[in-house]
Amino acid sequence: MGYKLFVLPGDGIGPEVMAEVEKIANFFTKEGSASFEIEKGLVGGAAYDAHGVAISDADMARADAADAVLLAAVGGPKWDHVPYEVRPEAGLLRLRKDLKLFANLRPAVCYPALADASSLKRDLVDGLDLMIVRELTGGVYFGEPKQIIDLGNGQQRAIDTQVYDTYEIERIGRIAFELARKRRNKVTSSEKRNVMKSGVLWNQIITRLHDQEFPDVMLEHQLADALGMQLVRAPKQFDVIVTDNLFGDLLSDVASMLTGSLGMLPSASLGAYDAQTGKRKALYEPVHGSAPDIAGKGIANPIAMIASFGMALRYSFDLGALADRIDHAIAATLDKGLRTGDIKGNSTVTPLSTTQMGNAILKELQAG
Ligand code: IPM
Ligand code: MN
């Protein structure tokens, strides 16, 4: 029986980088190491152009039925003026919310070969391996009210609502502590308790959870602004960082540049385990966006998308050995000096196209 992958290439460079993942999935199927059935759908601007919505109900149902969803990227200037409710990002947010994917894992690993492509000095990032655990279905992204109202005096008022309940903080905290136990056993929790009530509660719940269930894990708290500063000052101090939806969004973009390029970072968005089936819903996507400036040129870096597929193998299918093979193939390709334009740094190597990079990684997989 094959694993059902629901593939959403989306917009911009999305289809270009996703094509490289399909090659690898098909190679594994042919090789017999695992069997994947790929079904494709539309999300973001692509879905809007076809159906007038950011994702159709039919594609939501397919996503719900799949063993894992792979999504590349959504958005672009073409859809800057479509109504807010059907803007491309709404498709991604609906997937996260309706599939209850509350835990977003964003690892930032600096491959030694890329340490010079980082904007920080080599010794600060060489060997970096941290994990941002971002809460993904709550906070200011989804809190109500969320609106712009007319005050009737020529003024408008915009309102977003930051809201967290105990259970939301507890379940994301648990994910972070459990991950830390399999890593270097340290969790840094981050909020703004000095100005936000949601930060006060976040801090209390994480501390209580630690004391009751995870006293063996090292826990520290850092205010989100200070953590941003520490991320660029001494990033190797971190193991697992757990934070809310908005801070996690910001801090993971910062973390990505430590690794050399936004084109390198994968992510996994996970739901809870179903008590009956033992399965969990999951969506895998790169941290980068649709990069409209380079879309259609065939020069995008497919590594974050390929590594996201690697995370699917690890977290959805328990195929850790196959995921390791992907990680090694990426590392070996980089060790050979092969680069797409975004990770070229100051070197004079001729950058590879998206397809060439995908093929080079595939060749490493075929070799080992
Ligand atoms: C991300 C993206 C999304 C977010 C956008 C596209 C809605 O920036 O996954 O980090 O803000 O969560
Ligand atoms: Mn983001």
Side-chain angles (χ1 to χ4, degrees):
M1 224 187 55
Y3 297 114
K4 280 200 288 183
L5 294 176
F6 187 51
V7 167
L8 294 164
D11 307 321
I13 61 169
E16 298 164 44
V17 295
M18 190 65 90
E20 302 312 310
V21 164
E22 286 177 56
K23 279 189 208 162
I24 293 176
N26 290 334
F27 163 69
F28 284 145
T29 301
K30 225 173 79 195
E31 185 194 55
S33 43
S35 149
F36 299 103
E37 286 166 37
I38 296 180
E39 192 177 10
K40 272 198 204 178
L42 298 173
V43 68
Y48 179 79
D49 289 347
H51 307 297
V53 289
I55 185 162
S56 67
D57 292 343
D59 277 348
M60 277 306 301
R62 288 189 191 100
D64 194 51
D67 292 315
V69 181
L70 302 182
L71 184 146
V74 295
K78 182 177 173 200
W79 303 282
D80 273 354
H81 302 289
V82 307
Y84 187 78
E85 295 68 38
V86 293
R87 73 199 188 286
E89 291 77 8
L92 178 57
L93 296 177
R94 181 173 175 199
L95 281 159
R96 290 173 180 172
K97 190 72 175 171
D98 288 7
L99 300 181
K100 302 188 172 65
L101 308 173
F102 68 90
N104 186 213
L105 275 43
R106 298 191 158 185
V109 175
C110 183
Y111 292 91
L114 282 192
D116 291 319
S118 169
S119 37
L120 298 194
K121 292 190 202 95
R122 168 177 273 278
D123 60 314
L124 288 184
V125 294
D126 195 0
L128 176 80
D129 178 2
L130 64 81
M131 176 76 87
I132 296 184
V133 176
R134 168 189 177 193
E135 199 291 324
L136 203 61
T137 50
V140 75
Y141 272 62
F142 297 100
E144 296 286 348
K146 188 181 199 61
Q147 59 189 3
I148 299 178
I149 51 178
D150 211 325
L151 296 180
N153 58 354
Q155 297 282 306
Q156 290 173 292
R157 175 174 295 158
I159 304 171
D160 289 289
T161 304
Q162 164 83 344
V163 49
Y164 273 108
D165 292 356
T166 304
Y167 79 96
E168 295 177 285
I169 303 169
E170 251 168 22
R171 67 182 180 183
I172 195 70
R174 228 170 243 128
I175 298 266
F177 285 120
E178 277 162 8
L179 269 171
R181 276 183 178 157
K182 296 186 198 150
R183 295 170 49 97
R184 298 190 304 280
N185 216 34
K186 178 176 168 188
V187 169
T188 305
S189 171
S190 189
E191 27 60 22
K192 281 281 288 177
R193 64 185 177 282
N194 52 350
V195 277
M196 298 167 78
K197 287 293 180 188
S198 57
V200 171
L201 186 68
W202 184 282
N203 185 279
Q204 283 170 4
I205 301 295
I206 295 287
T207 303
R208 188 179 72 190
L209 181 67
H210 171 260
D211 295 350
Q212 291 180 349
E213 295 177 32
F214 301 93
D216 53 303
V217 180
M218 205 194 316
L219 170 66
E220 62 173 27
H221 301 277
Q222 283 191 17
L223 296 173
D225 54 344
L227 189 134
M229 180 272 286
Q230 289 296 340
L231 262 181
V232 291
R233 193 188 74 87
K236 284 195 260 182
Q237 70 184 280
F238 298 109
D239 180 17
V240 175
I241 294 170
V242 62
T243 189
D244 77 9
N245 205 343
L246 184 61
F247 293 140
D249 180 45
L250 270 160
L251 295 171
S252 59
D253 264 32
V254 175
S256 74
M257 266 324 283
L258 306 173
T259 71
S261 165
L262 198 47
M264 297 297 298
L265 249 76
S267 87
S269 305
L270 309 173
Y273 283 106
D274 183 294
Q276 250 109 62
T277 63
K279 287 190 189 178
R280 69 178 359 167
K281 302 237 181 286
L283 177 147
Y284 300 87
E285 57 170 323
V287 173
H288 67 67
S290 60
D293 51 323
I294 58 163
K297 297 188 180 158
I299 58 170
N301 184 351
I303 292 181
M305 189 69 240
I306 293 173
S308 300
F309 176 55
M311 290 189 86
L313 300 178
R314 201 180 296 285
Y315 291 99
S316 280
F317 307 136
D318 205 14
L319 294 170
L322 222 48
D324 286 345
R325 270 178 73 197
I326 290 193
D327 291 344
H328 292 149
I330 292 171
T333 306
L334 295 172
D335 280 342
K336 288 192 172 141
L338 302 174
R339 301 282 187 274
T340 42
D342 58 309
I343 49 176
K344 191 168 96 33
N346 300 323
S347 81
T348 53
V349 296
T350 312
L352 298 191
S353 69
T354 309
T355 317
Q356 286 170 327
M357 179 55 93
N359 287 346
I361 294 168
L362 186 61
K363 211 169 120 195
E364 289 296 335
L365 285 169
Q366 284 162 339

